[in-house]
Amino acid sequence: AKALGRARYHVFDPIMYQEAIQLLEIENDLRRAVARQEFIVYYQPIVSLLTGKIAGFEALVRWQHPIRGLILPAEFIPVAEETGLITSINTWVLQSACQQLRLWQHHPAIPDSLTISVNLSARLFSQPNLMAQIDEILYETQVNPENLELEITETVIMENSHAVKTILQQLKERRIKLVMDDFGTGYSSLSYLHSFPLNALKIDKSFVKRMQENQEDMGLVPAMINIADSMGMRAIAEGVETTEQLAQLRSLNCEFAQGFLFSKPIEQQSVLNLLTTAPQW
Ligand code: C2E
Ligand code: CA
Ligand code: CA
Ligand code: CA
């Protein structure tokens, strides 16, 4: 509906008009995709730098488009956010990831401690029944909530703090872990962050990238790891692509790392193979 409004407003600008039409097409396409469940969850390993082994996986959604093939989130999440379709997509991802976690938890070759991290859109927090939905998924799948991590962004915390605090508190009571995603890219103050029950800070890949480019001072990553430490949270570095970055993060006592160096996101069927063949990093 927003896309249509924009089209009407800029009706004399042919480029804006084209863009709006395209947005509308994606929106319609996305509606159909939600109805037909054209999504698939990929999994990317998160490595413990203490043990050098895979500690868990982050669930990352992809759209299996009947004509265009696999579409990455950057192309449809923004439209999904704008149209509100993200709530059904995201709930589906949470449900699939929990079903998968349940299967993995029963597999003899998979450690009981394996975690699954699921991204939660800020839009989910304005749904009054979010907690009921999460409880239903926990009940249906019978996963151990301690193995479930939910990744939220600073936007979630900045918006509507009382309602959000209540939900985060309830998640904590269920022993679900909470991760601040893309740490360092938002605008929340540290004292504000500190007042939320977070278990980990995920250092955004842009900072990890700059660490590599700027060998001398390593940029902001050491400070971010210290912040996590001093707030009693774990640090997870994302976007780790080189062995140099890995060595630097290890020397800084960063606890977890994720990135193409270890593996790109993979399909569920490849997870077992990766777990049994992955080197000790
Ligand atoms: P994110 O949560 O920050 O996820 C990390 C993104 O970085 C993923 O992109 C991942 O494939 C990519 N990545 C991993 N390792 C590396 C690396 O070494 N180098 C580089 N350059 N990139 C790396 P992806 O899968 O395309 O997802 C993009 C974003 O879409 C995610 O960013 C997240 O914000 C959103 N997203 C994905 N799945 C979901 C979902 O189920 N729900 C919601 N609400 N958002 C999702
Ligand atoms: Ca994430
Ligand atoms: Ca990120
Ligand atoms: Ca993100």
Side-chain angles (χ1 to χ4, degrees):
K2 267 189 192 155
L4 192 65
R6 206 188 289 153
R8 218 177 283 137
Y9 194 73
H10 293 281
V11 75
F12 298 113
D13 181 337
I15 292 171
M16 291 291 281
Y17 183 74
Q18 268 307 315
E19 274 174 11
I21 294 286
Q22 247 171 29
L23 255 184
L24 254 183
E25 277 170 11
I26 299 176
E27 179 178 342
N28 287 334
D29 225 12
L30 207 50
R31 271 184 209 290
R32 191 214 55 228
V34 169
R36 296 195 194 162
Q37 302 209 325
E38 287 172 4
F39 301 96
I40 183 169
V41 181
Y42 271 49
Y43 295 92
Q44 186 181 35
I46 299 169
V47 172
S48 158
L49 297 188
L50 213 71
T51 65
K53 291 186 170 160
I54 294 171
F57 286 88
E58 177 175 5
L60 294 159
V61 71
R62 274 95 182 86
W63 176 6
Q64 288 181 301
H65 194 280
I67 297 157
R68 298 178 52 205
L70 209 63
I71 302 180
L72 289 172
E75 235 187 287
F76 66 92
I77 295 271
V79 183
E81 293 273 1
E82 202 176 330
T83 54
L85 287 166
I86 189 68
T87 51
S88 31
I89 298 171
N90 214 150
T91 307
W92 178 85
V93 172
L94 180 63
Q95 191 176 19
S96 318
C98 286
Q99 280 166 352
Q100 196 53 62
L101 176 60
R102 171 72 177 168
L103 291 177
W104 284 334
Q105 280 180 337
H106 282 251
H107 197 287
I110 292 180
D112 293 341
S113 59
L114 191 90
T115 59
I116 295 273
S117 312
V118 178
N119 295 286
L120 285 195
S121 158
R123 296 264 325 218
L124 284 182
F125 286 82
S126 50
Q127 283 204 301
N129 62 346
L130 176 62
M131 244 0 267
Q133 282 185 323
I134 291 175
D135 280 338
E136 198 183 319
I137 292 172
L138 290 177
Y139 180 78
E140 268 178 8
T141 58
Q142 290 292 307
V143 287
N144 182 351
E146 286 182 62
N147 296 43
L148 179 62
E149 302 190 336
L150 298 178
E151 299 192 359
I152 57 170
T153 56
E154 287 174 75
T155 358
V156 172
I157 294 205
M158 296 310 285
E159 283 166 12
N160 199 358
S161 100
H162 184 71
V164 166
K165 255 190 180 140
T166 308
I167 294 171
L168 297 185
Q169 200 53 46
Q170 287 173 315
L171 292 171
K172 186 191 172 175
E173 281 160 19
R174 284 152 182 76
R175 290 170 293 127
I176 292 171
K177 306 285 186 312
L178 294 168
V179 180
M180 170 55 54
D181 203 359
D182 299 345
F183 179 58
T185 62
Y187 298 96
S188 53
S189 73
L190 291 181
S191 57
Y192 197 56
L193 261 189
H194 193 38
S195 69
F196 290 87
L198 300 168
N199 300 85
L201 299 179
K202 193 178 257 196
I203 300 167
D204 190 68
K205 52 178 170 284
S206 58
F207 298 100
V208 174
K209 195 171 174 166
R210 261 171 260 159
M211 173 174 78
Q212 175 193 31
E213 286 164 0
N214 202 348
Q215 297 272 356
E216 297 275 280
D217 67 354
M218 301 220 259
L220 290 172
V221 173
M224 293 173 139
I225 293 171
N226 283 336
I227 287 166
D229 260 0
S230 61
M231 295 203 288
M233 300 175 192
R234 292 166 295 139
I236 307 162
E238 71 171 19
V240 178
E241 294 181 356
T242 68
T243 49
E244 289 79 14
Q245 289 169 336
L246 172 62
Q248 283 172 329
L249 290 163
R250 219 180 220 127
S251 73
L252 295 168
N253 292 318
C254 182
E255 283 144 304
F256 295 94
Q258 178 181 0
F260 296 159
L261 174 66
F262 310 107
S263 167
K264 60 187 198 322
I266 54 173
E267 284 184 84
Q268 155 263 315
Q269 306 95 275
S270 310
V271 163
L272 194 65
N273 183 47
L274 181 70
L275 276 172
T276 47
T277 60
Q280 194 168 351
W281 289 99

